[in-house]
Amino acid sequence: MLSKKTTLIVIVLLAVLALIAAQCGSATPQTVTVVETVTVIETVEVVKEVEGKTVTVVETVEVVKEVEKEVVVTATPEPKEKVVLRYADKAADLGTMDPHFAAATNDRNLADMIFNGLLRYKPGDGSEIEPDLAEAMPEQEIVDGKQVWTFHLRRGVLCHPSDEVPAYELTSEDVVYSLQKSANPDRSAYAGEYDGMTVEAVDPYTVKITLDNPISPVLFFPKVSDYAGGFIVCKKAIEAMGDEGFKTHPVGTGPFMFESYSAQDKVMLTANENYFRGRPQLDGVEYRYMPELNSRELGLLSGELDVINGAAEGVWVERMNQKEGIRVDVYGVGEVATIHFNTSVEPLDNKLVRQAIAYALDRDEFLALFGEPVAANVYSQVPAQFLAGGLTKKEVDDLGLEYALDRDKAKALLAEAGYPDGFSLKMISSERESYLKNYQSMQAQLAEVGIDIEIEVVDHSSMHKLIRQDVNPIVIYVAWRPNADVYLTRFYHADSIVVTATKPDTNFSHYTGIDDLIEAARIELDADKQVEMWKQAQIQLLDEMISYPLQYQNQVTARNINVDFGHELKSVLALYPQITENTRITK
Amino acid sequence: MSQIQAQSPVVHPVRLRSQRQRMWHTFLSNRPAIVGLVLVIIVILAAVFADNWFIALPRGEDPTPLITTFDPLKQDARNRLAEPDAEHIMGLDSYGRDTWARILYGARVSLAVGLGSVLLGGVLGTFVGTLAGYIGGKTENIIMRAVDVLMAFPSLIMGLMVLAVLGAGLSKMILAIGIVLSPTFARVAHGATLTIKENDFVNAAIAVGANRMRILRVHILPNILGELIVLGSIWTATAIRVEANLSFIGLGVSPPTPAWGSMIRDGTQHLGYAPWVSIFPGVAILITVLGFNLLGDGLRDVLDPRLQQ
Amino acid sequence: MLRIKYLATRLVLAIPTFLAVLTLVFFVIRVIPGDPATAALGDYASKEAVEAMRERMGLNAPLYVQYFKFLGDLLQGDLGKSLITGKSINEQVKEVLPYTLELTLSAVLVGAVIGIPTGIYTAVKRNSPADYLGRVLSLAGLSVPAFYLGILIMLLFALKLDLFPAVGGGDLTDWKDNLSHLFLPSLTLGLIMTASVTRLTRSAMLNVLQEDYVRTARSKGLEERVTILRHALRAALVPIVSIIGIWTANLIADSVLTETVFARPGLGKMLVGAILQRDYTALQSVMVVYTGFIVIVNLATDLLYSIVDPRISH
């Protein structure tokens, strides 16, 4: 029969094709020690004779060195196999590489590898700030009622070379330019943070920052650290290629340099040979965009990837940790999920209704959806686990503001408020698990006391737009903010009310009751008093049940056991494991 | 006119009792078709008897589950992803809901999506396609180019755009998938009409000046119906799958409504340690798709005039 | 001669199709809630920053100005820049197109090469156990969502058997690497298509096998193989070509899921990404490319009709 033959031929053909393809697929990796010549720039003291006098001059010279290296090579060895860290992120694509617009975690991650700040959060530990491009922590003084901070820059820090501009030394000119860019709303998403700030170059290595209104170091340092607007860009490069060009070809001073970007696929970075903290141990980073969890997981397990974003699931963490050669890191900072009630609409304008909802909710039920150690309950708007100014469970308990589960009480409160049969609400949720899980759990829990919630799922970008148009009577928001002031200002200050305020932001509850406390705390220079005011503000929020804090969700990354980040992951402010000059792949 | 028609050699499919019997016989002798029919009936029964919603309930009373004792919406997060056991025969999902109960209720949603959108797209598309193929000339060009415009949108993109504009929800999902499917039906109907049109009996009918709509209805439609029914039964499966695909992108039916596609998507996240969450809805889809397609094949055999001779 | 004239007419007729698609996309994407400025800046951005971004993106200009600027640029062969990343879309398409074409073609190949013979075989051996098996298997292929099938295939071939790499598109300049990365995605996509092709082929063959001339040929004692090949298959080719044409066009879209699961670059992923990110220019421009592709596929399908069945004239 014809068809039998054809089928046979097809099967044979496919088998051959499979074999050919399989042949080129796998190759055994081997470790080989190679000696490599590298050119290093070193600072040396040279004794010279200038006009008859003998002087000691500090010069940078190029030194050729032989370095022994362990390199992983595959069956077809190339003379120099590069050690490139393959990182898979859950984002679908790059947003921007201009650090002053970088908002998504994956964009910040890239910015962190390419750029430096004047100061930096210690890698792996966001609770400590140390000098980065600055030689030392800045001194502050008060001049004419204004606060002046003076930074002395490190010498010999080189900007990455690009097609337009060769490598050059970073000076105060670049720092001033960069901070001014950050302050310009047309050129930065963080301009608001730099209101009332003047930046001047005193000399090529000294920068003076003047603040119209003095603030505490806790609030000032983040603005000039390696986060958001604090990243320092290289002036000549950005001027040569323009802001638009810079977005796809960033030039900074960091341990890694931009090499290429292919849309929805990957960004390639190469080691900065001249990095001021020493040449990175990795030869490069391949930063891949892989939104599907299963693909990242399989890629890691099959050895095609080294580090991946994991699932925010306790079960997942446990299971992956059991796999040979895989380690999962779970670390802070945790993003806080909070339920915000719109106090300007019926029936949520009634305090009794809001309190009824709070009593109807069971934090542990929400928590179970994420599981230990990925998430943990929070009891106040500012997470006490990470930031000064938060309230612990005990503090809240002592004040009688824990709102522990009590559905009978909830029903009684609803009846007292005039809703004995409950009511219905309609709202939207993002498709992301961190939102959807909380919305769906709330839906099921409130159904128990007769509150009927209808949820429409929209994509993440639509959700952000719609909740800012006030479509949700109840908004669940998951976010990390660098300090208590930012949390309270952006979510509860009158100026931040969505739609109606002068600077609409994320005050979804339309609450105006703690403006004075927020403002007073902001300019309070005594740290203890400042914390006390922040706590007071939250006690008021809880008492009136303006919002119900749920849980913080930790970051989860899984890696091949051979990957050593070069630092312990305690709490990373920008939500990713930093890849630095010390990160390496051992064998 | 009537005189000419009487003389025409056109074969009219005369509806005789004996023919109907023959059709019934053809169907009954087709074992796969019977299997298909049984499967479809099972799925429909599951959908209908998931709870007593079909009985008019007193005001304010919620329907209670009939086949299962579990509420498909009731969550138990602390026991989420529990393995199948005697109590929960298909285990619990990622919110701690009973998978078996959700599959029963999911039958309603998936049947509505599968049948509703195919019916919508099929009727719309077939009408346009046959009309264009039959009329020919400029009208055909214009219609088919319009179909091209719609075809230019990949099914998922089209579905995505319609849903993004209308907002999510079951009825909108049916509408979206129906619109997505219609150009495909139009094209196939168009192609088939072109072939049939060249047949002698159609030419003869045209030659004797028979009414256009009548030619369409009597000569062309029955002849391409077999193919369209097969296509329809395939697209029922596709529609159910598109629902799954849309939920992969995050735009499935609104929670907590159980739909098989969304359930598979949900389970995919936990494939490594709780495979039952995605496998059981997958089996449900397979049974439904199998049922509809085998039934479709059987119907095709019955409806195809040439097979009856 | 006639065919050339027909081709020319069709190409001219494709222009309004193009315009209609572009106009539709241009306006529909702007109706969808959400905007690229918010998507680009993320949730931390202030309203002023979003407004400044909108201005820079040119979204505050009147709609008709934006529309004609888009058409004008298009006429000069400029697809513009992504609103989000600022990368040139011409460049992006150039990078992505080879991956899309190789995946589509190989999947169609898998689908046709497995699907058509299976369809013929099951039609000829109607109601035999082989027929039942073939039908159930092809239906199983139809009921599995692409992302699920992809993950299962990846689990089996990349992890358990370790035959092929699991993720990535491979290096285009290294054909071995490229081919090994292509295998699993095209198998996934091809299997889904196979189901459809098998069923359609079987159905079309059954139709034709009942035709008088085939019966006559058979009764005349012509060898079975000749009958099937020369007469039956030839007549059945029209619907088969039609379904393959439709699938070729559709595969690009279905490939979105395959591309996502296997983390391959591709046109489909670009389209979905553009919609989710509200990247207006990217969506418009990728639709231009995609529509061009569809026009060509449709044209080829129609031409094939008249080749396989000379009775259909144009």
Side-chain angles (χ1 to χ4, degrees):
Chain A
M1 269 303 297
L2 154 108
S3 45
K4 244 186 208 161
K5 247 189 209 163
T6 323
T7 323
L8 201 71
I9 292 171
V10 169
I11 291 169
V12 171
L13 266 177
L14 278 176
V16 171
L17 203 66
L19 272 177
I20 295 174
Q23 277 290 315
C24 31
S26 50
T28 15
Q30 291 174 322
T31 324
V32 174
T33 313
V34 286
V35 178
E36 205 177 273
T37 12
V38 288
T39 318
V40 199
I41 294 186
E42 283 194 353
T43 324
V44 286
E45 286 189 0
V46 191
V47 183
K48 272 190 178 176
E49 276 193 34
V50 186
E51 291 166 11
K53 281 185 234 165
T54 321
V55 273
T56 316
V57 188
V58 181
E59 269 190 0
T60 49
V61 286
E62 286 196 356
V63 186
V64 181
K65 276 189 174 177
E66 285 199 337
V67 188
E68 235 180 53
K69 263 189 169 180
E70 280 208 341
V71 178
V72 185
V73 289
T74 37
T76 45
E78 283 174 38
K80 267 196 240 166
E81 187 71 30
K82 289 189 165 178
V83 183
V84 173
L85 182 93
R86 296 156 304 173
Y87 188 112
D89 193 275
K90 64 185 168 197
D93 198 5
L94 172 75
T96 178
M97 281 187 282
D98 182 333
H100 301 153
F101 283 107
T105 306
N106 58 304
D107 292 347
R108 291 179 193 269
N109 196 346
L110 280 175
D112 203 8
M113 290 187 257
I114 299 170
F115 297 93
N116 294 99
L118 286 171
L119 307 176
R120 70 166 182 177
Y121 293 94
K122 204 175 151 209
D125 182 5
S127 63
E128 262 184 69
I129 292 186
E130 58 184 25
D132 197 11
L133 291 171
E135 271 182 332
M137 296 304 284
E139 300 292 324
Q140 60 158 312
E141 50 186 336
I142 301 290
V143 181
D144 300 337
K146 292 181 177 177
Q147 192 179 31
V148 178
W149 298 84
T150 310
F151 290 86
H152 298 286
L153 301 183
R154 271 176 201 258
R155 300 183 185 220
V157 174
L158 290 183
C159 281
H160 305 155
S162 61
D163 291 346
E164 286 83 357
V165 184
Y168 71 95
E169 191 183 6
L170 181 108
T171 61
S172 54
E173 195 187 341
D174 297 273
V175 176
V176 172
Y177 177 87
S178 185
L179 288 172
Q180 282 171 351
K181 176 177 179 296
S182 299
N184 180 350
D186 284 343
R187 304 182 67 197
S188 155
Y190 304 102
E193 296 279 312
Y194 299 87
D195 278 349
M197 185 190 279
T198 322
V199 194
E200 294 158 273
V202 177
D203 65 53
Y205 299 104
T206 311
V207 175
K208 199 170 83 179
I209 297 178
T210 312
L211 299 179
D212 295 347
N213 300 309
I215 54 174
S216 62
V218 185
L219 295 183
F220 173 68
F221 288 164
K223 297 180 199 283
V224 290
S225 295
D226 57 341
Y227 189 80
F231 285 113
I232 302 300
V233 300
C234 293
K235 181 186 176 190
K236 286 180 191 161
I238 195 166
E239 280 190 336
M241 40 187 131
D243 284 13
E244 276 300 303
F246 196 76
K247 267 163 78 174
T248 48
H249 198 128
V251 174
T253 51
F256 296 96
M257 308 191 287
F258 173 80
E259 187 184 304
S260 67
Y261 157 62
S262 31
Q264 290 174 317
D265 190 24
K266 63 187 168 198
V267 169
M268 297 291 295
L269 302 174
T270 45
N272 174 8
E273 302 284 338
N274 304 320
Y275 186 52
F276 62 84
R277 285 193 179 92
R279 186 200 187 276
Q281 306 214 30
L282 295 169
D283 293 309
V285 177
E286 183 178 315
Y287 197 87
R288 307 196 50 149
Y289 298 102
M290 293 175 60
E292 173 59 26
L293 172 69
N294 283 287
S295 330
R296 296 198 301 275
E297 189 182 317
L298 285 171
L300 180 70
L301 292 176
S302 70
E304 291 163 58
L305 299 169
D306 301 310
V307 182
I308 62 164
N309 263 169
E313 286 266 354
V315 223
W316 190 86
V317 173
E318 193 183 314
R319 191 183 59 102
M320 285 301 277
N321 265 330
Q322 287 163 3
K323 308 256 179 195
E324 203 184 318
I326 305 292
R327 275 287 168 282
V328 183
D329 299 301
V330 178
Y331 52 94
V333 293
E335 292 178 89
V336 180
T338 307
I339 302 178
H340 300 264
F341 302 108
N342 183 345
T343 58
S344 71
V345 298
E346 254 186 284
L348 299 171
D349 53 354
N350 188 332
K351 179 178 161 185
L352 294 175
V353 170
R354 300 195 298 269
Q355 288 177 332
I357 293 178
Y359 280 116
L361 296 176
D362 178 4
R363 271 198 189 84
D364 293 335
E365 183 83 5
F366 287 97
L367 187 64
L369 291 177
F370 297 91
E372 299 280 353
V374 170
N377 288 338
V378 290
Y379 299 88
S380 71
Q381 284 75 9
V382 175
Q385 288 92 335
F386 302 105
L387 295 173
L391 297 165
T392 62
K393 180 174 197 277
K394 185 165 185 312
E395 285 175 292
V396 174
D397 228 0
D398 291 346
L399 290 161
L401 293 172
E402 197 204 327
Y403 294 95
L405 174 70
D406 186 345
R407 296 216 163 113
D408 292 330
K409 190 165 182 180
K411 281 179 189 157
L413 281 168
L414 278 179
E416 192 188 335
Y419 298 95
D421 298 325
F423 49 87
S424 303
L425 291 173
K426 221 174 146 176
M427 57 196 72
I428 54 149
S429 163
S430 158
E431 92 273 26
R432 297 209 179 150
E433 289 277 296
S434 53
Y435 283 84
L436 200 49
K437 276 183 182 172
N438 283 326
Y439 270 109
Q440 284 213 55
S441 188
M442 176 174 79
Q443 182 183 42
Q445 293 185 43
L446 292 187
E448 303 278 328
V449 294
I451 299 172
D452 185 29
I453 290 180
E454 196 183 313
I455 299 173
E456 187 185 319
V457 181
V458 298
D459 61 79
H460 197 67
S461 142
S462 296
M463 180 212 66
H464 274 301
K465 181 90 178 174
L466 290 168
I467 55 175
R468 282 170 178 74
Q469 292 168 0
D470 231 356
V471 303
N472 269 17
I474 297 179
V475 173
I476 298 182
Y477 207 82
V478 187
W480 166 255
R481 297 290 177 255
N483 54 53
D485 175 59
V486 180
Y487 262 114
L488 296 174
T489 307
R490 293 190 157 238
F491 290 108
Y492 307 103
H493 194 282
D495 286 349
S496 305
I497 294 175
V498 283
V499 189
T500 52
T502 41
K503 282 163 71 180
D505 203 335
T506 48
N507 182 345
F508 302 110
S509 54
H510 292 250
Y511 187 62
T512 55
I514 52 168
D515 292 4
D516 296 345
L517 277 168
I518 297 175
E519 286 161 22
R522 194 179 299 146
I523 52 167
E524 177 58 62
L525 297 176
D526 181 309
D528 290 340
K529 282 187 191 160
Q530 191 179 38
V531 163
E532 204 37 59
M533 280 190 251
W534 281 334
K535 285 188 176 173
Q536 206 51 52
Q538 291 167 84
I539 289 170
Q540 201 173 323
L541 290 176
L542 289 173
D543 183 45
E544 295 193 39
M545 196 25 72
I546 302 305
S547 68
Y548 181 89
L550 279 174
Q551 80 277 113
Y552 70 78
Q553 301 168 12
N554 267 326
Q555 310 307 313
V556 179
T557 7
R559 62 183 156 93
N560 190 303
I561 205 158
N562 296 327
V563 173
D564 173 9
F565 288 122
H567 52 258
E568 199 193 334
L569 290 175
K570 279 166 75 185
S571 75
V572 183
L573 190 76
L575 320 175
Y576 47 81
Q578 284 153 302
I579 294 164
T580 68
E581 71 283 358
N582 295 323
T583 305
R584 60 199 184 117
I585 300 178
T586 57
K587 195 60 201 177
Chain B
M1 187 68 146
S2 58
Q3 210 182 355
I4 305 172
Q5 206 165 12
Q7 290 167 355
S8 71
V10 176
V11 192
H12 289 284
V14 194
R15 308 249 169 222
L16 294 174
R17 174 161 302 188
S18 65
Q19 194 182 350
R20 210 169 276 173
Q21 277 169 351
R22 201 159 44 223
M23 283 165 84
W24 189 230
H25 181 76
T26 318
F27 185 79
L28 283 182
S29 64
N30 189 335
R31 254 181 303 165
I34 300 296
V35 174
L37 184 67
V38 171
L39 291 181
V40 168
I41 289 174
I42 289 175
V43 176
I44 291 175
L45 286 181
V48 172
F49 290 101
D51 61 31
N52 56 350
W53 65 300
F54 57 92
I55 303 167
L57 291 168
R59 182 179 281 273
E61 193 169 311
D62 287 332
T64 46
L66 287 183
I67 300 178
T68 166
T69 50
F70 294 102
D71 178 349
L73 306 185
K74 173 79 186 159
Q75 297 185 3
D76 180 8
R78 289 171 179 87
N79 288 315
R80 64 198 292 259
L81 304 173
E83 278 180 45
D85 56 22
E87 197 187 359
H88 300 282
I89 53 170
M90 290 183 183
L92 298 182
D93 76 355
S94 64
Y95 288 88
R97 297 174 296 210
D98 184 67
T99 307
W100 170 232
R102 290 181 71 74
I103 284 184
L104 288 177
Y105 280 81
R108 282 182 195 170
V109 180
S110 293
L111 279 186
V113 169
L115 293 180
S117 55
V118 164
L119 214 63
L120 184 73
V123 169
L124 209 71
T126 308
F127 177 73
V128 169
T130 7
L131 203 69
Y134 175 71
I135 294 172
K138 264 203 190 109
T139 324
E140 178 189 16
N141 255 328
I142 291 172
I143 293 180
M144 290 320 287
R145 268 356 99 211
V147 169
D148 280 352
V149 171
L150 288 179
M151 284 277 287
F153 291 91
S155 58
L156 203 64
I157 304 303
M158 181 87 144
L160 206 62
M161 284 180 34
V162 175
L163 280 180
V165 173
L166 297 178
L170 185 57
S171 57
K172 287 155 189 164
M173 170 91 69
I174 293 174
L175 188 64
I177 301 177
I179 293 174
V180 168
L181 295 182
S182 59
T184 322
F185 275 100
R187 260 187 96 77
V188 171
H190 175 239
T193 310
L194 283 185
T195 316
I196 303 288
K197 208 172 100 177
E198 303 303 322
N199 274 334
D200 293 340
F201 62 88
V202 178
N203 281 331
I206 296 170
V208 298
N211 174 290
R212 277 186 174 181
M213 287 316 278
R214 190 180 152 73
I215 295 177
L216 263 182
R217 205 180 63 232
V218 177
H219 300 288
I220 295 184
L221 215 50
N223 278 296
I224 63 170
L225 202 58
E227 210 165 312
L228 287 173
I229 283 182
V230 175
L231 195 69
S233 57
I234 292 178
W235 288 121
T236 307
T238 308
I240 293 176
R241 236 183 43 233
V242 170
E243 191 268 318
N245 290 347
L246 283 169
S247 68
F248 179 80
I249 299 173
L251 295 173
V253 295
S254 302
T257 314
W260 294 339
S262 310
M263 290 171 70
I264 295 185
R265 171 62 192 145
D266 230 31
T268 312
Q269 301 288 342
H270 312 280
L271 198 58
Y273 40 91
W276 53 88
V277 184
S278 56
I279 286 177
F280 288 119
V283 171
I285 292 187
L286 178 62
I287 289 176
T288 314
V289 167
L290 205 62
F292 273 102
N293 282 276
L294 294 179
L295 184 65
D297 288 354
L299 285 179
R300 171 190 158 282
D301 291 355
V302 174
L303 291 173
D304 194 326
R306 282 162 303 181
L307 284 173
Q308 291 159 24
Q309 289 152 18
Chain C
M1 248 345 254
L2 257 174
R3 234 171 234 165
I4 291 171
K5 196 179 162 213
Y6 171 70
L7 257 177
T9 325
R10 281 295 298 269
L11 283 178
V12 171
L13 279 171
I15 294 171
T17 311
F18 245 94
L19 263 179
V21 170
L22 298 186
T23 314
L24 203 62
V25 169
F26 182 91
F27 289 103
V28 168
I29 180 88
R30 282 167 172 77
V31 173
I32 302 175
D35 80 326
T38 319
L41 291 176
D43 58 331
Y44 199 53
S46 66
K47 182 142 186 174
E48 302 138 53
V50 172
E51 201 39 51
M53 185 62 112
R54 279 188 65 84
E55 185 65 39
R56 227 165 318 120
M57 285 174 165
L59 298 175
N60 288 340
L63 264 191
Y64 71 92
V65 174
Q66 294 182 43
Y67 180 65
F68 285 110
K69 181 176 181 311
F70 163 59
L71 288 187
D73 288 349
L74 189 62
L75 278 179
Q76 292 166 24
D78 180 8
L79 294 176
K81 280 180 178 176
S82 157
L83 283 183
I84 308 289
T85 63
K87 186 171 168 132
S88 143
I89 294 174
N90 289 49
E91 220 174 283
Q92 281 188 35
V93 169
K94 221 187 289 167
E95 282 169 12
V96 153
L97 208 56
Y99 288 106
T100 294
L101 290 181
E102 69 175 11
L103 180 61
T104 309
L105 290 180
S106 58
V108 168
L109 203 70
V110 171
V113 160
I114 304 178
I116 295 178
T118 319
I120 296 173
Y121 187 77
T122 49
V124 175
K125 297 274 167 188
R126 190 168 172 227
N127 292 339
S128 70
D131 178 26
Y132 294 149
L133 186 71
R135 287 164 73 187
V136 171
L137 281 183
S138 76
L139 288 173
L142 267 180
S143 21
V144 190
F147 64 87
Y148 202 61
L149 185 65
I151 291 167
L152 294 180
I153 282 183
M154 228 155 90
L155 266 172
L156 179 64
F157 289 95
L159 203 64
K160 289 265 181 301
L161 301 176
D162 198 18
L163 286 175
F164 300 98
V167 291
D171 185 355
L172 278 179
T173 54
D174 177 355
W175 69 271
K176 274 186 173 177
D177 182 54
N178 184 239
L179 202 66
S180 72
H181 278 94
L182 178 62
F183 197 83
L184 297 186
S186 56
L187 186 66
T188 307
L189 211 49
L191 280 181
I192 288 176
M193 176 176 167
T194 302
S196 207
V197 172
T198 304
R199 291 184 52 73
L200 255 289
T201 308
R202 178 178 178 277
S203 149
M205 279 300 288
L206 281 181
N207 262 341
V208 175
L209 288 174
Q210 307 296 329
E211 293 276 359
D212 290 344
Y213 62 93
V214 178
R215 291 187 182 185
T216 319
R218 271 177 154 175
S219 64
K220 267 197 208 151
L222 271 181
E223 207 191 320
E224 184 80 4
R225 181 195 295 194
V226 179
T227 317
I228 291 169
L229 256 192
R230 189 173 296 165
H231 300 285
L233 183 57
R234 179 145 208 180
L237 269 179
V238 174
I240 295 174
V241 164
S242 155
I243 199 74
I244 287 181
I246 288 170
W247 268 96
T248 313
N250 242 327
L251 273 185
I252 290 212
D254 270 318
S255 62
V256 178
L257 307 167
T258 317
E259 284 161 5
T260 308
V261 167
F262 288 97
R264 280 176 67 84
L267 216 52
K269 223 164 76 172
M270 253 178 101
L271 271 177
V272 173
I275 293 183
L276 294 184
Q277 291 268 326
R278 308 288 188 265
D279 193 337
Y280 299 164
T281 6
L283 181 68
Q284 286 155 199
S285 304
V286 178
M287 277 308 289
V288 171
V289 179
Y290 184 75
T291 313
F293 183 81
I294 300 288
V295 167
I296 293 170
V297 170
N298 283 349
L299 200 56
T301 314
D302 284 1
L303 279 179
L304 271 176
Y305 279 161
S306 63
I307 291 170
V308 298
D309 189 350
R311 287 181 302 170
I312 299 176
S313 60
H314 292 289

